[in-house]
Amino acid sequence: MPVGNVLSTVPGILWPALPGPHGAKMLSVQYQLEQSQWLAADKLKAVQLLQLYQVAHHAATSVPYYQSLFAEQKITIRQENIEEVWAAIPLLTRTTIQEQGKRLISKNIPASHGSLHKIQTSGSTGRPITTFGTAITSFMWLSLTLRDHLWHKRDLSRMFAAIRPEGNLEPGKGVSRQGWGPATDAVFATGPSAALSVRTSVADQAAWLQKQDPAYLLSLPSNVAALAEYFLSSQETLPNLKEVRTYGEIVGANVRQLCRQAWNVPVVDMYTSQEVGYIALQCPGHKHYHIQSENLLVEILDGDDKPVAPGGTGRIVLTTLHNFAMPLIRYVVGDYAELGESCPCGRGLPVLNKIMGRKRNMLLLPDGRQHWPSFPADLWQEFSGIRQFQLIQKEKDFIMVRLVADRPLSGSAEDRLTSLLRDRFGYPFVIQYEYVNIIERSKGGKFEDFISEVVP
């Protein structure tokens, strides 16, 4: 934890600093998070179950949907049986959240949990949902944001820039402020920050970044890759950039590779969801992720809804531990991940080796096998002029390749790319090319490089 820049609210007292109520609460939680991350797996699970009972019992006694569900399934929530009955609780899907609506909201939200706020997902899956949180859930989001800063030892006095879809940002019009935001500013003296809409052209983003000259850049992986490619082609640079932070999309190896080539900086990723907050943060010493067990119970389940072993891939099922307004119990978030072994760093927080994305991002081979394809930067390097790509599996043996390019590829270049893609897919798909001026992002600002429209 940084020393010497903790903010004090008492005149004349600079050290040891005496922060205000919000800052003191934030530091108190950081102290507890510092302890809990090192707990052995069994001890971490024990304290997690204590909190899990609190939210499950609250749901059973005050949320109409869970009252009916538990009665129908003959499930009684008790502290001593919470782990035993857990697997009997049916999974919660996005469709159920849409259909049940207000029946998922507690009739007795504790006043001490603070104000209620609505959370509207972007609907990138075609099924937007509305959930609710409280001041407590917002505070936990901020606490884990600060944990991420502290884990990666960021210099909070430096310039921080974000290029993102959220908020009321207008394309081409950046905003600036003093301070990094509420996660840090109640505790530490922080430097300036600036934000720009991700819908701004890449060339204008690059010019804006050069003007801001940030030490830290936050954006979506697809946007980071486009920026890195732009800087490489223009031979321009960001001399003071120390780290790129990513969120919101799957980070491929090409993103990390491009950031090293363009700026010689690492990429630090985070895995979040609008409706539940932080799910996992990248380990300070490795590229894999630590589940934020203080915030959520995370299950990785196979096709039979059984927990996978380390090395196995399954769908991610989440339970919120602090949301007493609209508890989400065994919620199927829609993504898949690979469970990892315990981390050499010594943290007891469970490991996710990879976030795989959604099922619609899986390639379906004609023999029924499925896998998540990846498209590293070196696959495209010999084809100059390609600015953006997206592959859509239209049929079991047919893939449409959409390209934003300076000019269409020659016939021989298309043949060469087709051969490379077929080798990568492991099947001789029929591949057709479509040249477009732009590939739009989703309503939430995200981008998917591969989408399958084929139902297995």
Side-chain angles (χ1 to χ4, degrees):
M1 186 174 295
V3 175
N5 62 341
V6 177
L7 291 175
S8 181
T9 59
V10 180
I13 305 299
L14 300 179
W15 183 83
L18 299 175
H22 180 70
K25 186 190 296 185
M26 186 70 76
L27 286 173
S28 171
V29 171
Q30 291 305 315
Y31 173 81
Q32 295 174 70
L33 294 177
E34 172 64 26
Q35 308 304 309
S36 60
Q37 67 181 324
W38 304 111
L39 290 175
D42 58 338
K43 293 184 178 180
L44 182 64
K45 185 176 182 179
V47 293
Q48 191 178 47
L49 287 174
L50 290 175
Q51 183 59 36
L52 185 64
Y53 167 73
Q54 296 296 319
V55 72
H57 176 72
H58 174 75
T61 56
S62 73
V63 177
Y65 169 75
Y66 288 114
Q67 288 176 313
S68 299
L69 179 68
F70 292 165
E72 177 185 311
Q73 299 292 324
K74 296 181 172 55
I75 295 172
T76 302
I77 301 295
R78 297 192 302 271
Q79 180 73 72
E80 62 271 16
N81 79 336
I82 186 71
E83 186 174 11
E84 177 185 336
V85 304
W86 195 252
I89 300 175
L91 302 182
L92 177 67
T93 66
R94 296 176 76 89
T95 300
T96 301
I97 294 175
Q98 288 176 318
E99 293 174 347
Q100 294 297 321
K102 292 182 179 180
R103 295 191 71 243
L104 280 159
I105 301 174
S106 171
K107 298 293 186 183
N108 185 28
I109 304 170
S112 57
H113 283 228
S115 58
L116 194 69
H117 63 270
K118 181 188 289 188
I119 304 165
Q120 182 75 53
T121 70
S122 62
S124 59
T125 61
R127 292 180 293 180
I129 61 172
T130 299
T131 61
F132 290 86
T134 66
I136 292 294
T137 60
S138 296
F139 180 79
M140 287 305 300
W141 186 298
L142 297 177
S143 297
L144 294 174
T145 299
L146 183 54
R147 167 187 258 184
D148 186 60
H149 291 324
L150 297 177
W151 269 12
H152 296 280
K153 297 181 172 60
R154 297 185 183 115
D155 184 348
L156 303 179
S157 68
R158 302 291 295 279
M159 175 70 191
F160 166 67
I163 301 177
R164 52 184 173 79
E166 299 95 338
N168 298 317
L169 296 171
E170 295 183 33
K173 295 183 179 180
V175 297
S176 302
R177 68 184 297 273
Q178 179 57 43
W180 283 26
T184 55
D185 296 356
V187 181
F188 300 111
T190 57
S193 65
L196 183 70
S197 170
V198 75
R199 299 187 190 280
T200 304
S201 72
V202 173
D204 287 345
Q205 288 183 43
W208 179 82
L209 281 172
Q210 288 183 303
K211 183 179 178 181
Q212 301 300 327
D213 192 22
Y216 302 97
L217 169 62
L218 171 71
S219 194
L220 300 166
S222 59
N223 191 61
V224 167
L227 278 167
E229 289 173 340
Y230 181 90
F231 274 86
L232 283 169
S233 64
S234 65
Q235 297 186 328
E236 296 171 347
T237 188
L238 294 172
N240 289 307
L241 191 65
K242 296 168 64 71
E243 178 188 273
V244 170
R245 298 171 61 207
T246 53
Y247 75 110
E249 299 169 349
I250 303 304
V251 177
N254 67 307
V255 179
R256 298 184 189 276
Q257 179 182 340
L258 285 167
C259 287
R260 282 294 183 192
Q261 291 174 339
W263 305 304
N264 194 31
V265 299
V267 171
V268 175
D269 190 39
M270 64 190 89
Y271 177 39
T272 66
S273 167
Q274 287 174 288
E275 57 268 42
V276 301
Y278 284 96
I279 301 170
L281 295 173
Q282 186 176 321
C283 177
H286 303 85
K287 290 180 182 177
H288 58 230
Y289 303 77
H290 283 291
I291 291 172
Q292 298 302 285
S293 297
E294 299 93 344
N295 188 46
L296 299 163
L297 172 68
V298 177
E299 302 172 76
I300 310 298
L301 304 182
D302 64 17
D304 296 320
D305 293 337
K306 304 296 184 184
V308 304
T313 297
R315 55 179 172 168
I316 300 173
V317 175
L318 311 172
T319 300
T320 55
L321 294 180
H322 307 104
N323 191 340
F324 281 57
M326 188 172 175
L328 299 178
I329 296 177
R330 306 200 80 201
Y331 167 49
V332 183
V333 72
D335 291 332
Y336 286 71
E338 179 185 304
L339 187 66
E341 301 280 359
S342 58
C343 184
C345 75
R347 289 176 175 84
L349 298 170
V351 168
L352 297 180
N353 287 334
K354 299 175 185 176
I355 316 298
M356 315 300 292
R358 299 184 181 275
K359 193 167 186 178
R360 74 174 190 164
N361 301 127
M362 294 180 74
L363 174 73
L364 175 64
L365 295 170
D367 64 5
R369 290 179 296 139
Q370 290 181 284
H371 67 86
W372 281 270
S374 64
F375 308 100
D378 55 12
L379 178 68
W380 308 92
Q381 283 177 348
E382 66 178 271
F383 306 97
S384 61
I386 295 180
R387 301 298 178 189
Q388 193 179 18
F389 68 89
Q390 184 180 60
L391 284 72
I392 303 174
Q393 185 174 15
K394 295 287 188 178
E395 299 175 16
K396 284 188 176 181
D397 62 351
F398 171 50
I399 291 175
M400 173 70 74
V401 178
R402 306 180 71 212
L403 297 176
V404 177
D406 295 340
R407 59 189 178 280
L409 298 179
S410 67
S412 60
E414 283 190 357
D415 290 343
R416 168 66 175 160
L417 181 53
T418 294
S419 177
L420 290 173
L421 289 172
R422 286 171 173 169
D423 286 345
R424 190 151 198 88
F425 293 145
Y427 184 82
F429 286 96
V430 174
I431 293 178
Q432 181 177 325
Y433 293 89
E434 178 184 29
Y435 295 90
V436 296
N437 293 325
I438 189 172
I439 301 175
E440 295 286 354
R441 294 176 176 272
S442 70
K443 291 181 180 180
K446 297 181 181 181
F447 176 78
E448 296 167 295
D449 58 16
F450 181 87
I451 300 170
S452 176
E453 295 179 350
V454 181
V455 178

